[in-house]
Amino acid sequence: MTTSPNLAVAENISAATVEALSQMHGEPAWLLEARLKAWRFFEEIPWPTGAEETWRRTKLTGFKLEDYRPLPGTTAGDSLPEEADKSLREVEAVADMAIVDGVRRHYRMNDELERRGVIFTDLASAVRQHPELVQRALGSVVATDENKFSALHYALWNSGTFVYVPRNVVIDQPLQTVVYQSEGKQAGFHHTLVLTEESAVVTLVEDYLGAASGMSNSAVELAAGPNSQLHYLHLQNLAESAWNFSTQRMQLQPDSLVRYFIGSWGSRLSKAWINMELNGRGAHGELLGLYFPGGRQHLDHHTNQLHVAQNTTSDLLIKGALKDRSRSVYQGYIKVYPGAQKTNAYQANRNLMLSKTARADSIPGLEIEADDVRCTHGATAGQVPAEYIFYLMSRGIDRTNAERMIVQGFFEEVLNRIPVEGVRNKLETEIARKLGL
């Protein structure tokens, strides 16, 4: 096995670990083969050195993979951690589950949805109960070798959310998964797989919590069928001592709609790859995001809007507020493939600097290989104008609340587009917490 000087893979993360994990869960041969293939990719893909363009502004200083032990996913308790239970109560979901340290500890499924053919369960159960469906779909959206961390994820995934919505089934209320990881030098690998058939409608909210002193390495696969609507909300509120890596990709078919949202509040360092692939004529995608780092947090989001088919549209709006000595990196890329005429793509990253020591790097980009398109992009960073604070304080509002009102107003454009009220309320509470209220 070839490793770089920055990475010494210990016995607790090895090919033997992969085999033991698969055997422990009684997985079929095809899944073990897929895991071992992913492990080989992990060994072959070079470890990031910082010289690569996608890693130039995000260093893994202080991160040692050999320090972390994969969650075994075999223990369970009698009650939910308070933080996980609170998160479940904040969203009025029609069905929900909580996964704690890789184990499904809470599960509630709607009987009517089940009668209509909807599948909402943890991924390990889906492998046992719907093997053909999972085998066909797993790894079909996020490639195993997409990057170093996706390969590691596919080799060692130890929990997951599986959603399947049949043709013409409309789910009005959201589904929800809470992923909680206990404190300690542990590594969680949560995999999300959502499939919608023609004209189906579904909303999934996932909330990542905990993992103090730990590591989270997730993957999200969203496959939207023709004329379907898939709304996905990814809430990352891990402990501020956690390392977080996430590879997320969505594929859109003709006339499908995907509305994607990411809220990044937690972790010591986050690196998220988010790809939207518009493969069908008339497909429409929205990429929305909010981040609010403080202290010395470092949040890095890398997006791709890939227009493959004609008459497709994508709209990206990601906003961040930064305070203390935190840093954000946003690198966005719109690519229009040959023949993808009538593409309409928009990309905007806006940053509000709440301290002189915070830093925001924004690198938008375009690559257009068709001649009848409309593509625009932009990025801004600025401080709160002193006159805004003065105006509010002159009306009897103290400085802290004046700042909260300005930050919340800055985020409002994105908050208003979030389709789940409970999530909007949750994010507004987090904004207040970040501002010390």
Side-chain angles (χ1 to χ4, degrees):
M1 180 178 67
T2 302
T3 63
S4 78
N6 297 325
L7 178 65
V9 178
E11 291 181 358
N12 58 350
I13 296 184
S14 64
T17 310
V18 176
E19 294 185 20
L21 178 67
S22 185
Q23 183 178 6
M24 182 188 308
H25 293 286
E27 294 177 346
W30 67 264
L31 187 49
L32 173 59
E33 183 180 346
R35 287 186 182 275
L36 291 174
K37 179 181 178 181
W39 178 257
R40 291 192 293 271
F41 279 130
F42 171 72
E43 290 182 306
E44 294 167 2
I45 298 171
W47 188 255
T49 64
E52 305 85 354
E53 181 58 27
T54 58
W55 287 99
R56 193 158 60 87
R57 300 166 185 83
T58 297
K59 311 294 185 184
L60 294 177
T61 305
F63 176 74
K64 297 180 180 179
L65 183 60
E66 67 269 23
D67 289 346
Y68 299 93
R69 181 182 72 257
L71 293 169
T74 56
T75 59
D78 297 328
S79 60
L80 287 177
E82 182 179 351
E83 192 176 0
D85 183 58
K86 178 176 180 289
S87 184
L88 283 173
R89 288 185 275 107
E90 288 173 331
V91 175
E92 293 185 9
V94 67
D96 51 33
M97 64 180 167
I99 296 174
V100 179
D101 294 334
V103 177
R104 190 179 80 180
R105 196 175 290 187
H106 164 85
Y107 178 66
R108 180 177 63 90
M109 179 56 176
N110 180 279
D111 292 339
E112 176 60 25
L113 292 183
E114 201 164 15
R115 283 193 293 270
R116 297 169 68 189
V118 174
I119 303 170
F120 171 64
T121 188
D122 64 283
L123 188 54
S125 295
V127 168
R128 295 189 299 271
Q129 297 164 9
H130 311 279
E132 294 183 1
L133 187 57
V134 177
Q135 184 176 5
R136 172 173 58 86
L138 186 65
S140 63
V141 182
V142 172
T144 305
D145 59 348
E146 191 122 341
N147 55 63
K148 184 79 170 177
F149 287 91
S150 70
L152 180 64
H153 168 90
Y154 272 108
L156 292 171
W157 67 265
N158 47 26
S159 70
T161 301
F162 182 80
V163 178
Y164 170 78
V165 186
R167 182 180 180 182
N168 296 325
V169 173
V170 175
I171 306 176
D172 295 322
Q173 292 178 274
L175 311 173
Q176 182 186 19
T177 299
V178 173
V179 183
Y180 181 88
Q181 188 172 318
S182 299
E183 182 177 1
K185 293 286 187 178
Q186 303 178 98
F189 299 88
H190 188 82
H191 193 97
T192 303
L193 179 56
V194 183
L195 312 172
T196 59
E197 299 290 359
E198 185 176 359
S199 301
V201 178
V202 68
T203 299
L204 174 65
V205 179
E206 290 202 297
D207 205 348
Y208 287 73
L209 303 168
S213 303
M215 165 190 168
S216 174
N217 180 4
S218 62
V220 177
E221 301 189 274
L222 307 178
N227 198 44
S228 67
Q229 296 184 28
L230 199 169
H231 308 273
Y232 176 74
L233 295 87
H234 185 96
L235 309 179
Q236 186 275 109
N237 201 5
L238 297 169
E240 292 188 9
S241 57
W243 297 85
N244 178 54
F245 308 95
S246 189
T247 306
Q248 308 185 31
R249 183 183 280 266
M250 53 219 84
Q251 291 184 346
L252 286 71
Q253 297 304 316
D255 298 314
S256 63
L257 164 68
V258 170
R259 180 177 287 118
Y260 167 96
F261 171 80
I262 184 168
S264 294
W265 307 97
S267 78
R268 168 182 176 174
L269 177 144
S270 279
K271 176 71 173 176
W273 296 267
I274 305 164
N275 287 357
M276 173 173 282
E277 193 172 312
L278 299 104
N279 295 322
R281 186 186 184 100
H284 173 73
E286 295 181 23
L287 290 167
L288 305 171
L290 297 177
Y291 51 83
F292 196 164
R296 299 188 68 90
Q297 286 180 280
H298 184 113
L299 305 180
D300 182 337
H301 300 85
H302 190 131
T303 69
N304 288 306
Q305 295 156 260
L306 307 174
H307 289 260
V308 180
Q310 297 183 29
N311 293 90
T312 56
T313 60
S314 65
D315 182 8
L316 180 146
L317 178 60
I318 297 179
K319 287 191 168 189
L322 299 91
K323 67 175 190 174
D324 305 324
R325 298 181 63 83
S326 63
R327 182 176 180 184
S328 71
V329 178
Y330 170 74
Q331 189 161 355
Y333 185 59
I334 296 174
K335 180 172 181 178
V336 181
Y337 285 77
Q341 305 294 0
K342 303 296 183 183
T343 285
N344 190 344
Y346 176 75
Q347 179 188 94
N349 176 229
R350 313 291 186 203
N351 295 283
L352 185 63
M353 317 305 292
L354 301 178
S355 73
K356 294 181 179 179
T357 52
R359 175 175 171 178
D361 292 344
S362 294
I363 309 96
L366 298 173
E367 181 181 344
I368 300 174
E369 298 185 73
D371 57 11
D372 185 9
V373 303
R374 181 183 179 185
C375 297
T376 57
H377 65 87
T380 60
Q383 295 183 338
V384 177
E387 58 267 28
Y388 289 11
I389 298 289
F390 175 79
Y391 175 84
L392 291 171
M393 292 183 68
S394 70
R395 265 70 181 164
I397 300 171
D398 63 78
R399 177 176 288 274
T400 301
N401 276 299
E403 278 196 358
R404 177 189 61 79
M405 292 174 67
I406 291 169
V407 173
Q408 191 158 340
F410 172 74
F411 283 146
E412 200 72 21
E413 185 179 6
V414 177
L415 289 170
N416 286 339
R417 294 169 65 178
I418 295 174
V420 180
E421 182 181 3
V423 172
R424 290 196 301 271
N425 295 337
K426 182 196 295 272
L427 293 172
E428 288 170 354
T429 300
E430 285 300 317
I431 291 169
R433 184 183 68 81
K434 283 283 189 175
L435 290 169
L437 297 176

